[in-house]
């Protein structure tokens, strides 16, 4: 999941409140291509947004609705997830306050297994402390192994990341941006007003690196701490298809260009799970990637600038060495497509994949999906070469990855479960694959590698 540290009227606090706001356009209006008010990134200077004489700002209206109902098709919806009406047996769990586009609530309600309780790890393995130069941060309180679950949590707030707001006549871009921010502050105020007291206190305690710009105090917190959350607007791409999720704990993670954690979002329990992507020592800081980390240091620096800090990790301070390795990681696949699925080719592929895996580990990029793809490639190549034990070892590693779907035993697929005899047997069955299948699979791996490397930001949502 890409972390998107992007950048008021009152409604009664009850579940299912619907904002019928003429300011907020419906999907139908969006289709008419009205200007899109994107969240401005970084510092936004305050500008005067006095409305033109004679311009009547549309007023906000709110309608109370039973939370069991879906959203109105023409309005943004405030709702609580999971819905307290249909999770009676775990209604005391933390919930998320959401500000949804029409249809997002239905995405959840139509899930066959929604809602599910929050499954927490048995032990707490982190705490929050002050970090010089970074504010606060999370640190491990015990040694963690790659794949260990560190925490699960429902976001405190999930809100639309971009909405269409009517542009008052003759407003400059800067005025329109400020006007949008003011509106988003109002929208956020309503959602925060609906939070339970402990959730509200946690939200208000979060960092805000937009105290001195045009963001209001609440929306500044969202812009500082929000993670990108996709999947709730099928068919809608880009900004409009993405939400912003502000969390109590995950939002406390500081950035690293070789993060040691990655998260995964589960719709049914509406929660994030945070995992260790490699072994983490007792007392080590837990870190997360705020931006694409496979790109050169200069690009990362630019992308992180709006968050108001300069990364001082070794990949940034010793950029020359790290950039060379990362561009090598990005360029991988170039020479292999032409090759044949002969044993010789598979041998070469094995060597290349191993070298590449070592490079990814050296750069601390286990959080990226490319790591998963390499493990998968290595497992498959060992399967094709009849090396069940080696394949099992990679299958075991794969199963620890947060981004991995569990590899299950199935005699018709070339997969392994864990480091077990049964797994080896299953691999042996798969050895019946022909060289042609192997070649096709190699193409698939490289296609995946290329596209995933480009899109790895979306790994965990
Ligand atoms: C989402 S918050 C992270 C938690 C935050 N440190 C706190 O005190 O709650 C993001 C902010 O943390 C700080 N931050 C995160 N990673 C950092 C890093 N690698 N170096 C310096 N500051 C960092 C920046 O101020 C950034 O705007």
């Amino acid at each position: 999941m890409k972390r998107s540290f992007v950048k008021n009227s009152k409604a009664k606090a009850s579940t299912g409140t619907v904002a019928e706001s003429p300011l907020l356009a419906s999907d139908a209006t969006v289709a008419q291509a009205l200007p899109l008010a994107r969240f401005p990134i970084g510092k936004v200077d305050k500008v005067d947004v006095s409305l033109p004489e004679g311009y009547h700002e549309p007023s906000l209206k709110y309608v109370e609705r039973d939370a069991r109902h879906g959203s109105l098709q023409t309005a943004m919806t405030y709702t609580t997830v999971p819905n307290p009406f249909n999770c009676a047996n775990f209604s005391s769990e933390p919930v998320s306050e959401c500000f949804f586009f029409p249809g997002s609530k239905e995405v959840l309600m139509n899930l066959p297994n929604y809602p599910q309780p929050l499954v927490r790890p048995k032990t707490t393995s982190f705490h929050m402390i002050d970090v010089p130069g970074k504010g606060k941060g999370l640190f491990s309180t015990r040694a963690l192994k790659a794949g260990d679950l560190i925490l699960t949590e429902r976001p405190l707030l999930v809100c639309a990341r971009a909405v269409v707001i009517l542009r008052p006549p003759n407003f400059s871009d800067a005025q329109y941006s400020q006007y949008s921010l003011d509106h988003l502050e109002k929208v956020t105020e309503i959602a925060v007003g609906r939070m339970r007291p402990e959730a509200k206190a946690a939200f208000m305690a979060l960092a805000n690196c937009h105290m001195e710009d045009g963001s209001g105090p609440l929306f500044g917190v969202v812009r500082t701490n929000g993670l990108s959350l996709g999947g709730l607007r099928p068919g809608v791409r880009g900004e409009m298809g993405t939400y912003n999720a502000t969390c109590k704990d995950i939002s406390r993670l500081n950035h690293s260009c070789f993060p040691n954690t990655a998260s995964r979002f589960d719709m049914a329990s509406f929660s994030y799970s945070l995992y260790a992507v490699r072994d983490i020592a007792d007392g080590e800081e837990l870190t997360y990637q705020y931006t694409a980390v496979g790109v050169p240091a200069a690009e990362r620096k630019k992308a992180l600038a709006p968050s108001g800090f300069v990364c001082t990790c070794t990949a940034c301070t010793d950029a020359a060495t790290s950039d060379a390795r990362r561009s090598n990681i990005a360029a991988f696949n170039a020479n292999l497509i032409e090759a044949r699925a002969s044993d010789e080719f598979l041998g070469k592929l094995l060597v290349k994949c191993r070298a590449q895996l070592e490079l990814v580990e050296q750069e601390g990029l286990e959080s990226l999906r490319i790591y998963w793809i390499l493990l998968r490639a290595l497992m498959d190549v060992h399967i094709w070469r009849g090396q069940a034990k080696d394949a099992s070892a990679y299958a075991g590693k794969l199963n620890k990855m947060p981004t991995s779907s569990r590899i299950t035993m199935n005699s018709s697929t070339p997969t392994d479960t864990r480091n077990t005899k049964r797994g080896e047997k299953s691999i042996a069955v798969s050895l019946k694959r022909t060289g042609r299948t192997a070649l096709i699979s190699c193409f698939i791996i490289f296609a995946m590698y290329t596209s995933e490397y480009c899109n790895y930001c979306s790994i965990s949502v």
Side-chain angles (χ1 to χ4, degrees), residues 3 5 128-137 205-210 224-226 250-257 285 287-288 290 304 306-313:
R3 180 140 203 175
F5 292 118
M128 184 170 73
I129 52 176
D130 290 329
V131 197
K134 297 185 188 174
K136 295 193 184 303
L206 288 170
N208 182 353
C209 69
H210 296 280
T224 306
N225 296 282
I250 294 182
S251 289
R252 292 293 191 176
L253 292 167
N254 287 315
H255 165 85
S256 169
C257 297
E285 181 169 12
T287 53
Y288 201 74
Y290 287 14
L304 290 170
S307 301
F309 69 92
V310 175
C311 184
T312 52
C313 75

Side-chain angles (χ1 to χ4, degrees), residues 118-136:
L118 191 61
V119 181
R120 292 199 171 95
K122 290 191 189 93
T123 46
T124 304
S125 39
F126 69 94
H127 66 164
M128 184 170 73
I129 52 176
D130 290 329
V131 197
K134 297 185 188 174
K136 295 193 184 303

Side-chain angles (χ1 to χ4, degrees), residues 172-377:
S172 67
D173 285 351
Q175 281 177 308
Y176 182 41
S177 169
Q178 181 65 61
Y179 182 68
S180 306
L181 278 174
D182 291 349
H183 183 77
L184 289 162
E185 178 69 13
K186 290 178 192 171
V187 163
T188 312
E189 191 182 310
I190 295 164
V192 172
R194 291 164 49 86
M195 286 179 185
R196 293 174 182 169
E198 62 282 8
K200 190 171 180 176
F203 180 89
M204 298 308 289
L206 288 170
N208 182 353
C209 69
H210 296 280
M211 299 287 270
E212 284 158 22
D213 68 18
S215 313
L218 300 176
F219 195 58
V221 171
V222 172
R223 292 179 71 210
T224 306
N225 296 282
L227 286 81
S228 295
L229 178 57
L232 282 161
R233 299 200 74 201
V236 184
R237 305 189 76 134
E239 292 282 287
M240 298 294 280
T242 311
Y243 285 96
N244 223 33
T246 307
C247 296
K248 172 177 166 287
D249 293 321
I250 294 182
S251 289
R252 292 293 191 176
L253 292 167
N254 287 315
H255 165 85
S256 169
C257 297
F258 42 93
N260 53 19
T261 71
S263 68
R264 178 180 194 153
F265 192 78
D266 173 56
M267 285 287 174
S269 59
F270 208 69
S271 64
Y272 282 105
S273 298
L274 186 76
Y275 295 88
V277 294
R278 57 175 174 268
D279 294 353
I280 298 174
D282 184 5
E284 194 178 330
E285 181 169 12
L286 303 177
T287 53
Y288 201 74
Q289 71 183 69
Y290 287 14
T291 184
V293 289
V295 297
E299 265 182 61
R300 298 197 300 272
K301 188 174 177 188
K302 212 166 145 193
L304 290 170
S307 301
F309 69 92
V310 175
C311 184
T312 52
C313 75
T314 48
C316 289
T317 46
D318 182 12
T321 313
S322 170
D323 280 2
R325 288 197 200 127
R326 288 178 195 218
S327 75
N328 187 338
I329 291 170
F332 181 67
N333 88 331
N335 307 324
L336 292 166
I337 299 290
E338 298 298 314
R340 292 214 187 132
S342 61
D343 198 53
E344 191 195 342
F345 163 66
L346 291 177
K348 278 188 191 161
L349 180 58
L350 207 58
V351 171
K352 287 218 174 194
C353 286
R354 275 205 204 114
Q356 201 63 17
L357 190 78
E358 208 178 301
L359 200 57
V360 172
E361 287 175 344
Q362 222 170 20
E363 273 302 284
L365 295 177
E366 295 91 340
S367 63
L368 304 188
R369 196 167 159 80
I370 47 169
Y371 186 61
W372 180 91
I373 292 167
L374 283 166
L375 291 174
R376 177 68 205 236

Side-chain angles (χ1 to χ4, degrees), residues 18-209:
V18 171
E20 280 188 329
S21 162
L23 283 175
L24 299 174
S26 66
D27 275 4
T29 327
V30 173
Q32 288 164 21
L34 280 173
L36 174 67
R38 289 175 197 282
F39 284 0
I41 296 175
K43 193 167 170 3
V44 186
D45 289 329
K46 277 186 184 164
V47 292
D48 174 41
V49 286
S50 312
L51 290 164
E53 215 169 303
Y55 180 75
H56 296 292
E57 188 179 27
S59 59
L60 294 169
K61 289 189 208 143
Y62 299 97
V63 179
E64 298 287 328
R65 274 166 60 89
D66 187 319
R68 278 167 290 195
H69 295 154
S71 44
L72 291 180
Q73 280 315 301
T74 54
M76 303 293 289
T77 300
Y78 287 99
T79 193
T80 303
V81 177
N83 180 328
F85 288 101
N86 58 9
C87 62
N89 52 345
F90 54 91
S91 57
S92 58
E93 287 182 1
V95 291
S96 300
E97 284 307 327
C98 303
F99 176 59
F100 277 163
F101 282 101
S104 291
K105 197 169 169 183
E106 285 73 8
V107 168
L108 296 173
M109 290 166 88
N110 292 335
L111 286 176
N113 56 346
Y114 172 82
Q116 292 294 312
L118 191 61
V119 181
R120 292 199 171 95
K122 290 191 189 93
T123 46
T124 304
S125 39
F126 69 94
H127 66 164
M128 184 170 73
I129 52 176
D130 290 329
V131 197
K134 297 185 188 174
K136 295 193 184 303
L138 301 188
F139 285 72
S140 67
T141 50
R142 67 180 177 93
L144 294 160
K145 287 268 166 226
D148 279 358
L149 176 64
I150 301 169
L151 66 92
T152 55
E153 68 172 317
R154 293 207 172 99
L156 298 166
L157 176 68
V158 172
C159 63
R161 207 171 151 192
V163 289
V164 171
I165 298 171
L166 299 179
R167 185 175 185 142
N170 305 323
F171 257 33
S172 67
D173 285 351
Q175 281 177 308
Y176 182 41
S177 169
Q178 181 65 61
Y179 182 68
S180 306
L181 278 174
D182 291 349
H183 183 77
L184 289 162
E185 178 69 13
K186 290 178 192 171
V187 163
T188 312
E189 191 182 310
I190 295 164
V192 172
R194 291 164 49 86
M195 286 179 185
R196 293 174 182 169
E198 62 282 8
K200 190 171 180 176
F203 180 89
M204 298 308 289
L206 288 170
N208 182 353
C209 69

